[in-house]
Amino acid sequence: MHINDGQLRAYLDGELNEPYSRLVRDHLATCPVCQAQLAQLQTRISRVDERLALLSPQPDDSRLAARPALLSFKSQTAMRLGKEKNRMFIRGNIFSNLFTQRWRPLVLGLIALALAVGLFTFPPAHQALSAFLSLFRIHQITILEVDSTRLSDLAGDSPLGKRLGQLLSDTVTVTKEPADPETVGSADEASQKAGFRVRLFKDNPSGAPPRLTVQDNAAFYFAVDLDRAQAILDETGYGHLKLPESIDGATISFDIPKAVSAAYGDCPTRERRDDDDDTDRLPPDAFKNCVILAQTPGPVVNAPPEVDMAPLAEVGLQILGMTPEEARNFSQAVDWTSTLVVPIPRNGAQYKQVQVDGVTGNLIYRRADDGMPERYTILWVKDDLVYALAAIGDPEAGLTLANSLQ
Amino acid sequence: MTLTTDQPRASSGKTHQAEASPAMTSQQFEAIFLEHWPRIYRTLVQLVGDPDEAEDLALETFWRLYFHRPDKQRETKLAGWLYRVATHLGLNALRAWKRRQRYEAEAGLFDSVADPVESFAADEERSRVRQALGEMKPRQTQLLILRYSGLSYRELAEALNVSVNSVGALLVRAEREFEQRYRRLNPTGE
């Protein structure tokens, strides 16, 4: 019977209490196997320490000193307090405000869909919901069909939506405000600015090169107040749903990295959109040769380890219309830390999984209806980047394009 | 500048003074700052490399304590919270760095982030170490960095929300993982 590695390690670190420490020492005295193992562990520790030592600051690094740092902190805090007063206190609802011009880049980053994707497949309310749920580092995308009447419960105008926005907006601190999007001249320039390799189609559909835009990154965080959040659920008729205790006081932060969009053909331009949310009401053939390709590393949410996202997700899913049973099953099947869940209204669009760009992706397709032509969005994740391709017309054309990315 | 004790948070939240959270006096905050700053800063340098960026992130960590303190009174739990926030910030920055490295390597621009003052060889190795760390699961990276920063098992347990008894085994695993990845990145080396 030998000593396991964990205990040996603790022993080496002097972290093993009596009587275990003595027991280990006695055993080692007579056991060559464990002695060898101990030596091996010790060697590895030294090696790793040596390598990590390379990363340390120089011992004479002045920034190590705490008092000067405190002075820096104080003087910068004065500045911050000034900013805090002007911070993003959103009138109305955080979701509806996401659609003002300033924050459109944030939406793009948040849900990793080209803004025009919303144009083509979802009305803004649904997009806001996607934004809310898609707050994780993305490894895969799951499409969730929901009853569209329930979707509106979480959309901007519903009582719950408004109160949720209020809850968030009172405590949101923006640590990085996105600058205005920037048009660039080449994929190289876009890659340089965005910090990842931008891929484009091998050949330009409709002949002309795309208009490339780099959307700036953003970061913000808020502290969750469990009482208030539960009160909101209580008041809006969802009192039977209990939020997990673990979220109380948790600081949840969001990092939305830069994103790049490539617009081929005649596409709606930023200047036209402004605060106009009539994005559904486009003339039918206005943008029929427009193809939009968006790519982004996907947003990252940081929640403290004690925050258990699964029960939180279950609450959200029940609000969307699932039974507690369904919510639990769905929630357990999804890795909430790496899945982008895109809810689509049951009677609004069709979707299916497709093979695209060498991976499994999702195709969301809407038939021609209500004056709008048929349109689609293809979503996939490859090499830690989320891609979205949206266009009017036959999805097959889109798949072909997506498969030509380089 | 003094920190004032808080009144109950204004429910409308409009233009309330951002004050220190309840039950923490300015002396307490300063004491915490002075005690933990060097290790927080060191941890962040290890993760992100650039001292200026590390300094910014370290300040950010303490701001979060200042403005949105979690409801945890005990000193050790507070320290754990600080380290968690710091390593989260650092790991995010590391991820962004990793992406940029990958892009620049592919574009033939490797070495553009090198510090011109240091030797090429040391820089490459540092780069590899950081890359190996970046490839590991964030919690393993956190564990290694924090351990190297000198945290005790109890402090590590608080920072990572695991039991003290499991720290030894977790460390062994993390070190093994680190070595494997490092070797993979350094095939010609030892």
Side-chain angles (χ1 to χ4, degrees):
Chain A
M1 237 270 331
H2 297 294
I3 307 169
N4 68 47
D5 280 352
Q7 285 178 313
L8 277 177
R9 184 75 163 83
Y11 176 76
L12 270 173
D13 286 333
E15 294 266 4
L16 207 55
N17 296 324
E18 299 294 349
Y20 302 106
S21 177
R22 189 166 30 90
L23 288 171
V24 169
R25 195 166 50 240
D26 290 343
H27 177 95
L28 279 171
T30 60
C31 176
V33 174
C34 286
Q35 281 167 21
Q37 185 64 4
L38 191 80
Q40 195 187 59
L41 278 183
Q42 178 72 75
T43 314
R44 187 189 298 141
I45 294 173
S46 309
R47 268 202 306 263
V48 173
D49 271 0
E50 228 175 75
R51 303 210 169 113
L52 291 181
L54 287 174
L55 301 181
S56 286
Q58 306 295 354
D60 57 357
D61 185 345
S62 58
R63 294 177 194 79
L64 277 167
R67 286 220 168 267
L70 183 58
L71 289 174
S72 266
F73 179 87
K74 286 182 175 176
S75 68
Q76 292 188 31
T77 302
M79 271 196 318
R80 268 234 173 177
L81 281 175
K83 277 211 192 115
E84 284 280 311
K85 291 201 182 103
N86 302 327
R87 77 186 181 196
M88 197 174 81
F89 283 120
I90 303 161
R91 278 186 300 277
N93 183 300
I94 188 174
F95 297 128
S96 60
N97 270 281
L98 285 175
F99 294 96
T100 60
Q101 176 146 12
R102 179 115 227 225
W103 288 94
R104 275 195 162 144
L106 179 62
V107 176
L108 176 60
L110 269 180
I111 64 178
L113 298 175
L115 192 57
V117 165
L119 229 61
F120 285 81
T121 50
F122 308 136
H126 300 167
Q127 199 169 0
L129 179 60
S130 304
F132 182 70
L133 284 182
S134 65
L135 301 174
F136 306 93
R137 184 146 172 248
I138 315 293
H139 287 302
Q140 61 182 40
I141 296 174
T142 296
I143 304 290
L144 175 66
E145 276 196 43
V146 293
D147 182 345
S148 55
T149 54
R150 292 300 210 121
L151 270 186
S152 61
D153 264 2
L154 275 177
D157 294 333
S158 72
L160 180 61
K162 280 201 171 76
R163 287 300 299 277
L164 272 178
Q166 230 179 338
L167 170 73
L168 296 182
S169 71
D170 280 4
T171 57
V172 168
T173 302
V174 178
T175 49
K176 165 80 174 62
E177 276 210 34
D180 289 330
E182 199 183 340
T183 306
V184 294
S186 67
D188 277 346
E189 204 187 334
S191 304
Q192 257 293 321
K193 291 202 144 83
F196 58 87
R197 190 164 81 82
V198 170
R199 297 162 72 208
L200 296 177
F201 306 131
K202 181 159 176 296
D203 300 308
N204 295 319
S206 68
R211 191 176 74 248
L212 291 168
T213 313
V214 177
Q215 317 277 8
D216 197 16
N217 58 327
F220 58 92
Y221 67 90
F222 62 88
V224 180
D225 183 330
L226 181 64
D227 286 341
R228 289 175 72 188
Q230 188 65 57
I232 287 171
L233 284 179
D234 292 342
E235 287 170 41
T236 52
Y238 293 97
H240 55 285
L241 302 175
K242 294 296 174 223
L243 293 170
E245 292 253 338
S246 58
I247 67 172
D248 193 21
T251 298
I252 305 191
S253 68
F254 302 87
D255 280 278
I256 324 290
K258 295 187 199 214
V260 174
S261 68
Y264 295 83
D266 299 310
C267 294
T269 59
R270 199 149 297 275
E271 302 79 61
R272 277 173 56 178
R273 276 198 296 263
D274 284 314
D275 288 309
D276 173 11
D277 274 353
D278 283 340
T279 52
D280 274 337
R281 303 280 154 249
L282 299 163
D285 58 358
F287 307 113
K288 63 173 183 286
N289 68 349
C290 170
V291 177
I292 295 193
L293 173 70
Q295 47 202 285
T296 173
V300 177
V301 75
N302 285 318
E306 66 266 21
V307 173
D308 192 356
M309 298 306 281
L312 196 60
E314 277 182 46
V315 170
L317 289 170
Q318 287 183 63
I319 292 177
L320 283 177
M322 287 188 165
T323 66
E325 185 76 39
E326 288 169 343
R328 201 172 316 124
N329 289 336
F330 187 94
S331 174
Q332 282 167 1
V334 167
D335 176 0
W336 291 101
T337 57
S338 69
T339 302
L340 171 64
V341 176
V342 180
I344 63 169
R346 195 165 276 142
N347 49 0
Q350 300 158 7
Y351 77 97
K352 62 177 186 173
Q353 291 201 321
V354 291
Q355 283 304 110
V356 58
D357 196 19
V359 300
T360 306
N362 297 271
L363 167 67
I364 305 165
Y365 171 76
R366 284 186 93 164
R367 280 194 315 272
D369 60 27
D370 209 15
M372 290 279 280
E374 62 170 351
R375 57 216 182 274
Y376 62 89
T377 306
I378 311 173
L379 289 171
W380 71 102
V381 181
K382 179 166 174 141
D383 289 335
D384 281 342
L385 289 172
V386 184
Y387 293 86
L389 189 161
I392 286 177
D394 179 0
E396 285 304 317
L399 285 170
T400 309
L401 276 177
N403 288 330
S404 79
L405 274 177
Q406 57 187 24
Chain B
M1 183 209 83
T2 48
L3 306 175
T4 54
T5 51
D6 199 11
Q7 305 103 26
R9 267 180 227 146
S11 55
S12 69
K14 293 244 157 48
T15 50
H16 73 276
Q17 281 282 3
E19 294 155 345
S21 313
M24 181 159 60
T25 64
S26 81
Q27 282 101 320
Q28 282 173 333
F29 178 84
E30 287 190 18
I32 290 166
F33 188 104
L34 290 172
E35 179 179 345
H36 292 286
W37 169 269
R39 272 201 299 199
I40 296 280
Y41 171 71
R42 168 178 282 119
T43 302
L44 284 164
V45 170
Q46 285 163 347
L47 280 172
V48 305
D50 178 42
D52 286 327
E53 191 179 355
E55 190 182 18
D56 283 344
L57 293 174
L59 285 170
E60 175 64 38
T61 305
F62 283 98
W63 271 318
R64 296 205 183 181
L65 177 66
Y66 184 78
F67 285 128
H68 290 287
R69 199 187 82 145
D71 204 17
K72 291 175 159 61
Q73 305 288 340
R74 266 176 41 211
E75 168 68 30
T76 43
K77 283 212 180 269
L78 208 65
W81 186 88
L82 273 176
Y83 287 113
R84 267 207 297 276
V85 172
T87 49
H88 271 140
L89 291 174
L91 285 171
N92 265 352
L94 186 63
R95 257 199 290 272
W97 179 88
K98 216 185 86 187
R99 262 200 302 274
R100 188 167 269 283
Q101 281 292 87
R102 195 170 12 166
Y103 153 65
E104 283 174 355
E106 285 178 18
L109 294 171
F110 190 83
D111 198 38
S112 62
V113 290
D115 180 343
V117 174
E118 319 215 42
S119 79
F120 181 72
D123 204 63
E124 259 207 359
E125 225 200 314
R126 224 189 311 267
S127 198
R128 256 197 296 272
V129 174
R130 207 163 272 123
Q131 186 149 351
L133 285 175
E135 284 177 9
M136 289 163 55
K137 288 201 173 63
R139 280 166 75 73
Q140 281 186 325
T141 307
Q142 270 178 303
L143 182 65
L144 278 187
I145 294 279
L146 289 176
R147 173 63 191 167
Y148 185 73
S149 293
L151 267 64
S152 69
Y153 275 32
R154 166 166 295 283
E155 288 170 324
L156 287 172
E158 295 278 16
L160 289 147
N161 214 36
V162 297
S163 75
V164 181
N165 291 332
S166 62
V167 173
L170 289 171
L171 273 171
V172 172
R173 224 173 289 154
E175 280 158 357
R176 202 182 300 143
E177 178 75 22
F178 172 77
E179 288 234 295
Q180 276 177 0
R181 295 198 177 265
Y182 182 81
R183 288 213 180 101
R184 229 176 283 156
L185 291 169
N186 188 26
T188 58
E190 357 152 14

